[in-house]
Amino acid sequence: MNLDFGVVFSSFDVMLRAFRISIVVALAGFAIALVAGAGLALCRRSRLRPVRLLAFAYVNFFRGAALYVLIIWLWLGLAVATGIRIGTLSAGILTLALLNSAYLAEVFRAGIDAVDGGQKEAALAMGLAPGQAFRAVVAPQALRISLPATGNHLVDAIKDSAILSVIGIPELMRETARLAQFEQRPFEFYVVAAGMYLAAVYAASALFRFLERRLDLDRPAGRWSRGRPVRSTEPGGGRVQPVGTALGRG
Amino acid sequence: MFSYRLRWDLVADNVGGLVSGLVILLQITALGFALAMILGLVVAVARTARSPLLRGPALAYTELMRGIPLFLFLFLVYYGAAQVSPVVLSPFVAAVLALGLTGSGYATEIYRGALQAVDPGQREAAFAMGLTPGQAFRDVVLPQALRIAVPPGMNLLVALLKGSTFVSVIGVADVFYLSRIVSQRFFAPFEMYTVSGLMIIAVTLCLAGFAVLVEKRFARGDRTSS
Amino acid sequence: MSDPRPGGLLLELRGIRKRFGDLQVLDDVSLSIAPGEVVCVIGPSGSGKSTLLRCVNFLTPVDEGEVWFEGRRIEPPRHSSWNPFAGRPQVRELTRLRARIGMVFQHFNVFPHLTACENVMLGLTRVSGLGKAEARERARAQLERIGLLDKADEHPARLSGGQKQRLAIARALALGPTLMLFDEATSALDPELVGGVLAEMRKLAQDGMTMLVVTHEMQFAMEVADRVVFMDHGAIVEQGTPEHFRDPGNERTRAFLSAIL
């Protein structure tokens, strides 16, 4: 066994560029998912039954779907059959957004449910309109509670972006596979790529740990310093784990 | 819009292949899950040990396994192992290993949480009656931890099933492998991928239903703490 | 294992010290118990009485001081934070001693995954090394003694608090201990269930069992104890017969007793 990481380093700039695409795709998909997920969470609490049902169906379908299956069905199956033309990059971002919006909708819904009912009552008793009470009192607390689980899903989105290579996005996984085959050094290339993914995963979880500390309701100097201590619904005290709790969601 | 002519007959011609491909996927999932749960228990014991010499490496292992994308890990195990060792793994074995190793990182955390969730008084009571640490673990703490680990364990199983869907990328002849071949030869990606996707969804739904059943069974009666 | 010193002490604690962080929980506590004696430890919460009990069988390792049981010194296991195999011989020795000291906890700590009968059998098969059939027979005899035979195949979740605690007593007694430790055995019980457990303890005392009892039940202590020990701030303040405690000498004891009676 002779290892040669020199080959990897001579292609390092190619890998870094591909890594940037991975990150951009993951972040773009996740950003869309954040907004859509929040919307879906609200839809699931809608007064209108059809809206609730649709949101429920959407969330449960995409939560059950495997990313790999979804992506090849959408872009190698459906798009081909219907003649829809869409860039691979957009396709990848869209697919990540579809899945993650469903996960995040569930996270936000649980966060809203976890806010003590007394908070809303107190806000209403003060004379706030229901909408105001939600925005000013319930939502900020729910957001804080949702933070650790949201962080875990970002971590998973970064790891999942590797699967997007199957539709031809020139991201880290695809470029690594290409280089590994070309140079006949799969071990070295995959190890270095794994290191890059690990770095991204650690950066993401560090970011969320920082956010959590900043928004810690128990801390006297926190932003909502007078809020009641809110305990997360997450097992393990609700801290972001260094890496995601769900397996790469395939 | 539909210049595409649907050829469901191709699906009908390949039913046998699709089913056996699905069986391969299920085998990989089941074996990977078994490996993950066994390995995870060993690592969890080290992870909760008193000595940092055991705890440190166990922590590093779980962080590594949970931080590397399974998709990449699959390639690393299959192609990397062939490069650095004389052992040549079959795609099937590589897939089981990748799934099992990645899964063991998650299984470790599941066990660790479950072990910590067992009332410390249980261990104390076992010690107080003269059980050795080993006996206390095996006879008192572990059986209770296993029950607590069942629901998250079922989630891991579903996650591994989803992860197993892309093992065809290293050449495992599963449903998606067959779908790709048939699609390329006869240009029928929509039909083949739709059917294989539905098969996976059906299995996922069955597993999810089974998970609910198991959870109910374990939530009953004897789990409440004393 | 018989007492090498006839007429000697069953248990002797010498100069026990224990601190948790900044808190000195036990400060130079010495206590000895003769065979057949029933000693009740009373005192305000946080006085260190439960910790003292747990130091006897090293569920809480002592910082300083010696524990002598049946004429032998119990060596604390010396765990190393690096060597996972350190302390093994002491653990084995400790294990043997613990089997001779029964303990009953405030929160019962019966094993929820085992039936009542299996709870009692576990120690018999694992510690006493009995076969399954014999262990079952003995376990059922114990359950019958405490009136739980009809619950033998139930899991603890189906038992009341009082039944769980009686089960815990049966589990400890099955191993034939020479000393029984009771750590606030009735504190977690609903008031109407306390009586049954106390009756069991009283019966045990009458049968001549040596008992070290941490309790808040003054009535019980006065009736059953041969000696009452009053602890406060991690030290023994005063000890004597129950009669002595009807008119204690120490001011703190007096304050405590008037507060709880």
Side-chain angles (χ1 to χ4, degrees):
Chain A
M1 168 168 122
N2 61 332
L3 294 180
D4 177 14
F5 280 92
V7 189
V8 183
F9 289 111
S10 58
S11 316
F12 203 62
D13 54 331
V14 179
M15 288 181 76
L16 275 182
R17 235 173 299 141
F19 183 44
R20 208 167 56 204
I21 295 180
S22 287
I23 298 301
V24 167
V25 170
L27 287 184
F30 198 72
I32 299 172
L34 278 173
V35 178
L40 281 165
L42 292 181
C43 287
R44 290 206 61 183
R45 302 171 58 82
S46 165
R47 222 169 319 185
L48 302 170
R49 200 179 157 82
V51 174
R52 276 205 312 268
L53 280 177
L54 271 177
F56 174 82
Y58 177 96
V59 167
N60 282 292
F61 176 76
F62 285 107
R63 262 171 18 115
L67 177 55
Y68 177 79
V69 179
L70 189 65
I71 202 166
I72 59 171
W73 182 74
L74 278 179
W75 310 112
L76 300 182
L78 190 63
V80 170
T82 53
I84 292 173
R85 284 274 168 268
I86 177 171
T88 52
L89 211 59
S90 327
I93 293 174
L94 188 60
T95 317
L96 273 185
L98 281 174
L99 274 185
N100 280 288
S101 58
Y103 292 123
L104 291 175
E106 202 56 15
V107 168
F108 294 149
R109 191 178 68 97
I112 294 169
D113 286 349
V115 176
D116 180 33
Q119 292 289 312
K120 191 181 171 190
E121 285 178 4
L124 293 177
M126 281 168 62
L128 294 185
Q132 286 175 318
F134 183 80
R135 275 196 306 277
V137 177
V138 178
Q141 298 185 45
L143 195 68
R144 169 63 185 80
I145 297 172
S146 307
L147 220 45
T150 306
N152 289 336
H153 283 301
L154 175 59
V155 162
D156 283 342
I158 293 170
K159 292 196 294 171
D160 282 356
S161 71
I163 298 169
L164 301 179
S165 60
V166 299
I167 56 167
I169 299 175
E171 46 69 78
L172 182 57
M173 182 62 216
R174 189 174 182 86
E175 290 300 284
T176 307
R178 191 175 60 76
L179 290 165
Q181 200 181 10
F182 181 74
E183 304 281 0
Q184 288 295 307
R185 290 264 166 215
F187 185 81
E188 290 90 334
F189 275 101
Y190 287 126
V191 164
V192 171
M196 290 181 170
Y197 279 111
L198 273 174
V201 158
Y202 270 86
S205 48
L207 169 72
F208 270 81
R209 274 200 302 272
F210 170 75
L211 286 177
E212 262 187 90
R213 270 200 309 277
R214 277 296 293 272
L215 305 182
D216 193 342
L217 300 180
D218 296 341
R219 253 177 30 155
R223 201 171 134 205
W224 297 295
S225 54
R226 276 176 292 171
R228 71 178 248 289
V230 173
R231 300 203 72 209
S232 165
T233 52
E234 287 287 296
R239 294 274 164 263
V240 181
Q241 313 205 328
V243 285
T245 50
L247 196 68
R249 294 163 305 206
Chain B
M1 189 167 164
F2 263 89
S3 56
Y4 187 90
R5 201 168 54 85
L6 291 172
R7 299 241 351 233
W8 294 107
D9 57 308
L10 287 174
V11 174
D13 290 348
N14 287 291
V15 164
L18 284 169
V19 169
S20 57
L22 183 68
V23 170
I24 290 178
L25 267 194
L26 295 181
Q27 285 171 340
I28 290 176
T29 305
L31 290 174
F33 181 67
L35 179 61
M37 291 316 273
I38 293 167
L39 214 55
L41 183 58
V42 176
V43 182
V45 170
R47 183 96 165 71
T48 50
R50 199 189 297 264
S51 164
L53 284 182
L54 293 174
R55 267 197 332 247
L59 174 68
Y61 175 83
T62 56
E63 299 293 81
L64 210 62
M65 286 305 151
R66 298 192 308 154
I68 299 176
L70 174 58
F71 193 82
L72 184 148
F73 197 54
L74 206 55
F75 284 79
L76 181 57
V77 170
Y78 183 58
Y79 295 110
Q83 180 195 337
V84 301
S85 74
V87 188
V88 177
L89 302 172
S90 72
F92 183 91
V93 173
V96 169
L97 273 181
L99 230 60
L101 290 173
T102 303
S104 70
Y106 294 88
T108 300
E109 292 306 295
I110 291 173
Y111 283 125
R112 187 173 70 100
L115 288 171
Q116 284 172 349
V118 175
D119 178 8
Q122 293 289 313
R123 224 163 83 96
E124 289 192 341
F127 283 163
M129 51 195 276
L131 295 193
T132 63
Q135 288 172 330
F137 181 77
R138 213 181 47 234
D139 293 328
V140 175
V141 178
L142 187 60
Q144 297 183 51
L146 287 181
R147 273 155 221 247
I148 301 171
V150 166
M154 293 303 294
N155 287 338
L156 179 61
L157 179 57
V158 172
L160 286 179
L161 175 69
K162 288 184 182 178
S164 76
T165 55
F166 47 69
V167 293
S168 60
V169 295
I170 57 165
V172 175
D174 71 347
V175 272
F176 295 101
Y177 190 80
L178 180 69
S179 299
R180 191 164 67 228
I181 302 239
V182 172
S183 303
Q184 280 166 355
R185 190 171 305 159
F186 302 100
F187 194 62
F190 179 74
E191 298 88 319
M192 289 306 286
Y193 287 131
T194 300
V195 171
S196 15
L198 285 176
M199 289 170 100
I200 292 294
I201 288 179
V203 175
T204 314
L205 285 178
C206 286
L207 262 185
F210 180 63
V212 171
L213 260 173
V214 171
E215 235 171 282
K216 271 210 188 109
R217 165 111 178 67
F218 276 94
R220 240 184 11 211
D222 52 356
R223 228 199 89 183
T224 39
S225 87
S226 59
Chain C
M1 206 189 309
S2 65
D3 186 358
R5 296 178 298 173
L9 297 167
L10 183 68
L11 175 74
E12 200 180 353
L13 307 173
R14 294 181 191 161
I16 302 290
R17 285 180 204 274
K18 178 71 195 176
R19 69 169 39 246
F20 292 123
D22 289 339
L23 192 69
Q24 188 78 45
V25 189
L26 292 175
D27 192 4
D28 194 16
V29 177
S30 297
L31 179 72
S32 41
I33 300 179
E37 205 178 9
V38 176
V39 176
C40 284
V41 184
I42 59 171
S45 32
S47 58
K49 44 193 200 306
S50 280
T51 308
L52 182 71
L53 203 67
R54 297 164 55 86
C55 283
V56 171
N57 58 2
F58 283 87
L59 281 186
T60 301
V62 300
D63 293 340
E64 269 177 66
E66 297 175 0
V67 179
W68 290 75
F69 180 70
E70 292 178 333
R72 291 169 62 176
R73 173 150 183 217
I74 303 182
E75 291 284 340
R78 265 182 274 281
H79 290 294
S80 150
S81 58
W82 291 100
N83 178 4
F85 301 104
R88 282 293 157 91
Q90 293 101 317
V91 166
R92 200 166 306 137
E93 176 69 21
L94 187 57
T95 298
R96 268 196 288 273
L97 275 156
R98 278 171 173 164
R100 304 186 57 76
I101 303 174
M103 183 160 188
V104 177
F105 298 84
Q106 181 179 358
H107 295 289
F108 327 136
N109 297 354
V110 289
F111 305 132
H113 62 297
L114 301 177
T115 63
C117 191
E118 288 165 345
N119 260 278
V120 183
M121 283 169 64
L122 184 65
L124 292 170
T125 52
R126 295 293 188 271
V127 180
S128 311
L130 298 185
K132 263 233 152 89
E134 199 184 348
R136 186 177 306 276
E137 199 136 311
R138 286 237 218 137
R140 291 181 70 87
Q142 278 297 339
L143 289 174
E144 184 163 27
R145 217 187 68 88
I146 55 160
L148 281 180
L149 191 55
D150 55 324
K151 304 281 184 192
D153 297 320
E154 299 279 10
H155 282 91
R158 298 286 206 79
L159 303 181
S160 74
Q163 287 170 332
K164 281 183 203 169
Q165 195 60 301
R166 273 151 56 208
L167 173 60
I169 295 173
R171 181 178 69 179
L173 288 178
L175 296 174
T178 48
L179 170 68
M180 283 289 288
L181 307 173
F182 289 86
D183 186 7
E184 303 197 16
T186 57
S187 298
L189 291 175
D190 291 336
E192 71 271 21
L193 301 175
V194 170
V197 172
L198 287 181
E200 212 58 56
M201 292 166 66
R202 194 171 279 134
K203 206 160 72 188
L204 205 54
Q206 280 158 5
D207 291 349
M209 176 63 76
T210 316
M211 293 162 64
L212 181 55
V213 183
V214 167
T215 185
H216 288 297
E217 298 287 336
M218 277 313 293
Q219 184 72 28
F220 175 83
M222 290 304 201
E223 282 173 27
V224 181
D226 298 310
R227 180 152 49 104
V228 176
V229 173
F230 173 68
M231 281 185 74
D232 198 9
H233 296 302
I236 292 177
V237 176
E238 191 169 4
Q239 54 180 312
T241 60
E243 281 64 45
H244 170 83
F245 273 82
R246 294 197 197 284
D247 182 25
N250 188 285
E251 197 51 50
R252 268 192 285 169
T253 319
R254 215 187 288 270
F256 172 74
L257 287 178
S258 66
I260 66 161
L261 286 179

